[in-house]
């Protein structure tokens, strides 16, 4: 999705299923599925049954 202004420092990745985004420098509890806090995990059914996915606003140049 994005890379740091200094090449090779970090990248922003996104889950194709739930659209969660994270930087590669985040701790394991944010970057590894098995380490993500159980109370915040979503199942495929949770995602499919979500009432609304808020739109992402357009990026502002600058």
């Amino acid at each position: 999705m994005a890379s740091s202004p200094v090449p090779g420092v970090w990248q922003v990745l996104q889950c194709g299923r739930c659209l969660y985004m994270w930087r590669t420098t985040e701790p394991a509890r944010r970057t590894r599925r098995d380490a993500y806090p159980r109370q915040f995990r979503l199942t495929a059914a949770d995602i499919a049954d979500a009432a609304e996915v808020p739109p992402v606003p357009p990026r502002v140049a600058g």
Side-chain angles (χ1 to χ4, degrees), residues 4-15:
S4 66
V6 177
V9 175
W10 52 259
Q11 291 182 310
V12 175
L13 306 175
Q14 181 180 40
C15 174

Side-chain angles (χ1 to χ4, degrees), residues 33-54:
R33 183 178 303 165
D34 62 327
Y36 196 71
R38 190 166 298 281
Q39 68 268 29
F40 297 114
R41 294 181 191 178
L42 298 173
T43 65
D46 292 331
I47 296 167
D49 294 340
E52 179 180 340
V53 176

Side-chain angles (χ1 to χ4, degrees), residues 8-29:
V9 175
W10 52 259
Q11 291 182 310
V12 175
L13 306 175
Q14 181 180 40
C15 174
R17 180 181 291 178
C18 71
L19 307 180
Y20 177 74
M21 296 176 80
W22 67 96
R23 264 193 317 244
T24 54
T25 56
E26 299 290 338
R29 70 180 183 276

